[in-house]
C-alpha cells in the first residue's frame, strides 16, 4: 500500500507540474490546436478566441484545486488517516471540482462538440467520488464504534 501511495503522490506532483506548464503555454497551444485540428465548421473565430482562452483558464482552476486536495488526501492515506471525517470531506471537495469541470466543459460544447464527452466523464467521476465519500463516512462510523468496543 505504501508503494502505491508513493506512486500516486508522484503522479499527483507530475499532474500539478503539468497544469503549471499548461497554464504557461495555453495561448500558444490553443492557437496551434485551432489552426491544425479545428475544421472549417468550427465556431472559433478570432473574435471568440479570447472567450475560448478564458474558458481554458477556467478549466485549470478546479484542476489545480483538485490536485492540491488529492495531494492532501494522499498525505492522510500515508499517515493511516483514511477513515476519518476530513478524508470524506476532501473527497467531496474533489467531487465538487469535477462538477465544476463538467459545467465548464459543457460551455465548451458551443465551440467543440468533443467537450460534451469530457463533460459527461467529469459528471460521472464526480458522482462516483460522492459515492466513495459516503463509503468513507460509513467506514468512519464503523471504525468509531469499534474504537469504543472493549
Amino acid at each position: 500500500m505504501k508503494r502505491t501511495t508513493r506512486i500516486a503522490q508522484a503522479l499527483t506532483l507530475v499532474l500539478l507540474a503539468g497544469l503549471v506548464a499548461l497554464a504557461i503555454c495555453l495561448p500558444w497551444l490553443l492557437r496551434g490546436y485551432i489552426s491544425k485540428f479545428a475544421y472549417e465548421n468550427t465556431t472559433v473565430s478570432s473574435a471568440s478566441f479570447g472567450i475560448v482562452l478564458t474558458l481554458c483558464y477556467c478549466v485549470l482552476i478546479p484542476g489545480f484545486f483538485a490536485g492540491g486536495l488529492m495531494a492532501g488526501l494522499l498525505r492522510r492515506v500515508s499517515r493511516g488517516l483514511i477513515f476519518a471525517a476530513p478524508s470524506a470531506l476532501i473527497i467531496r471537495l474533489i467531487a465538487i471540482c469535477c462538477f465544476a469541470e463538467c459545467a465548464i466543459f459543457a460551455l465548451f460544447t458551443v465551440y467543440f462538440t468533443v467537450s460534451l464527452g469530457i463533460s459527461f466523464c467529469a459528471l460521472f467521476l464526480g458522482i462516483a467520488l460522492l459515492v466513495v465519500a459516503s463509503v468513507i463516512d460509513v467506514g468512519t462510523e464503523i471504525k468509531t464504534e469499534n474504537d469504543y468496543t472493549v
Side-chain angles (χ1 to χ4, degrees):
M1 184 168 132
K2 289 182 182 182
R3 182 175 154 191
T4 306
T5 303
R6 288 187 184 167
I7 291 171
Q9 286 173 326
L11 289 174
T12 301
L13 291 176
V14 169
L15 169 77
L16 288 170
L19 287 173
V20 169
L22 183 61
I24 293 168
C25 300
L26 194 56
W28 176 75
L29 290 171
L30 184 60
R31 278 192 189 94
Y33 174 80
I34 290 172
S35 68
K36 294 194 191 250
F37 298 109
Y39 301 107
E40 292 178 7
N41 62 356
T42 185
T43 58
V44 178
S45 63
S46 60
S48 61
F49 179 80
I51 295 169
V52 173
L53 184 62
T54 302
L55 284 173
C56 287
Y57 277 114
C58 288
V59 164
L60 293 178
I61 294 169
F64 275 117
F65 192 62
L69 288 168
M70 283 190 291
L73 182 62
L74 287 167
R75 274 192 302 271
R76 293 185 60 77
V77 169
S78 67
R79 294 178 187 155
L81 302 172
I82 301 165
F83 291 106
S87 296
L89 176 64
I90 292 171
I91 294 170
R92 280 190 181 85
L93 290 173
I94 295 171
I96 290 170
C97 291
C98 290
F99 294 138
E101 295 287 8
C102 173
I104 296 167
F105 275 105
L107 292 174
F108 262 122
T109 58
V110 172
Y111 300 103
F112 306 105
T113 54
V114 71
S115 297
L116 185 61
I118 298 169
S119 181
F120 175 78
C121 291
L123 177 66
F124 182 83
L125 183 60
I127 293 169
L129 286 172
L130 288 179
V131 171
V132 170
S134 296
V135 169
I136 296 293
D137 280 337
V138 171
T140 301
E141 288 176 21
I142 293 170
K143 182 183 177 296
T144 303
E145 287 177 16
N146 287 341
D147 288 345
Y148 290 124
T149 304
V150 178

